[in-house]
Amino acid sequence: MAIELFNDGNHRCLAFADLVAGDGVQANQFLIIDGKHEAILDPGGDLTFTALSTEVSKHIDLRKLDYLIASHQDPDIIASLSSWVSRTDAKIVCSRLWARFLPHLLPGYMGQQVASRCLSLPDQGGDIPMGDTVIKAIPAHFLHSVGNFQFYDPVSKILFSGDMGASIVDEGPDKPVEDFAAHVPSMLGFHQRYMCSNKVCRLWANMVRDMDVEMIVPQHGRPFKGKAMVALFLDWISGLECGVDLMTQENYKAP
């Protein structure tokens, strides 16, 4: 069932969670609707395709989907590409760094379909036209992919942040974080391993502080709702040592 993050009558942001069956990593998927235009963000792998497409079909005509948008290339982000390509006419949006690898996710005879329908993003990002508005592709490189993007919706003021802000919890997008300090342990190990370095985290946080963000919604776990909670997260991630900051020679020994 869809979780409504925003609805002003014309513009809607919906989240879907708990669609992964079995041992797969649980992830959130998102649908943005502006009038008669729609985009799916980080649709996931084959584990989610049937359930997600069924749920999304309750809100839109899949054949008229405008965009299939991927923040990075992980299997839980875009491995279901072949199913979406064969069932929709959507443009595929991703970083130009790995757009040329997308055909590896498809049977050979479908490769050309991706090439003709791919909107590859330059490193600086840009605006993706969306009805009467845009979806802004925000650079988030090395957090954790070398060609990583997040997506900002200026109508709802939601930043869909991919793995940044992810937490390992049972709750999802319908349960915003209320006690930040209590929430930190569910994020700490993930960010220490998956984020590249404190430098990149600080640069990213500086960028987001200059944006009008009312909610940060990651691909895993609970969102941060309200400017005060967003600020708490930005302060925390700005001071976190992670990734290469934590590496020593002990991590590089031949077994």
Side-chain angles (χ1 to χ4, degrees):
M1 187 171 73
I3 299 162
E4 191 169 84
L5 301 175
F6 180 86
N7 186 350
D8 69 2
N10 179 66
H11 191 89
R12 302 171 67 198
C13 298
L14 304 176
F16 304 87
D18 296 324
L19 300 182
V20 177
D23 296 328
V25 175
Q26 292 295 334
N28 307 321
Q29 297 82 38
F30 306 102
L31 173 65
I32 300 176
I33 303 171
D34 189 83
K36 296 182 179 180
H37 298 273
E38 308 99 8
I40 294 176
L41 277 59
D42 292 347
D46 285 336
L47 284 173
T48 62
F49 174 76
T50 299
L52 180 61
S53 59
T54 298
E55 289 298 320
V56 168
S57 293
K58 297 175 183 178
H59 303 274
I60 67 170
D61 179 350
L62 283 185
R63 275 288 168 191
K64 296 180 179 179
L65 179 70
D66 291 74
Y67 299 108
L68 196 69
I69 301 178
S71 58
H72 57 289
Q73 72 275 27
D74 280 2
D76 62 327
I77 294 291
I78 195 62
S80 60
L81 180 63
S82 62
S83 296
W84 289 103
V85 166
S86 63
R87 291 166 175 82
T88 77
D89 297 322
K91 291 184 173 66
I92 302 141
V93 183
C94 66
S95 166
R96 69 180 178 189
L97 284 184
W98 53 270
R100 66 187 184 276
F101 295 105
L102 288 180
H104 287 275
L105 297 173
L106 301 162
Y109 68 90
M110 295 178 68
Q112 191 55 43
Q113 292 187 47
V114 171
S116 63
R117 290 163 57 177
C118 188
L119 173 60
S120 57
L121 297 168
D123 277 352
Q124 65 268 29
D127 290 347
I128 304 165
M130 180 71 174
D132 294 328
T133 182
V134 298
I135 299 172
K136 290 185 172 291
I138 304 299
H141 309 308
F142 300 100
L143 299 171
H144 64 96
S145 169
V146 296
N148 198 69
F149 283 95
Q150 298 168 352
F151 300 97
Y152 175 70
D153 175 17
V155 178
S156 65
K157 301 180 181 179
I158 295 174
L159 177 61
F160 295 94
S161 60
D163 282 319
M164 177 56 83
S167 54
I168 312 303
V169 293
D170 293 331
E171 297 86 3
D174 56 332
K175 300 289 185 182
V177 175
E178 297 178 350
D179 184 335
F180 186 81
H183 187 64
V184 165
S186 68
M187 301 188 291
L188 182 59
F190 180 90
H191 286 77
Q192 285 177 325
R193 182 58 190 246
Y194 281 86
M195 300 302 146
C196 176
S197 69
N198 176 256
K199 176 182 178 179
V200 181
C201 290
R202 282 188 287 108
L203 294 173
W204 174 84
N206 291 343
M207 173 186 67
V208 178
R209 285 192 183 98
D210 288 337
M211 298 167 59
D212 186 8
V213 176
E214 290 286 349
M215 190 185 305
I216 293 176
V217 186
Q219 194 218 355
H220 306 281
R222 303 172 69 180
F224 304 93
K225 186 175 183 179
K227 291 188 182 297
M229 191 61 71
V230 167
L232 284 174
F233 176 73
L234 296 179
D235 289 346
W236 176 76
I237 198 66
S238 293
L240 183 70
E241 289 193 329
C242 54
V244 297
D245 304 326
L246 304 177
M247 295 294 102
T248 69
Q249 195 63 62
E250 290 299 310
N251 299 105
Y252 295 89
K253 285 185 172 181

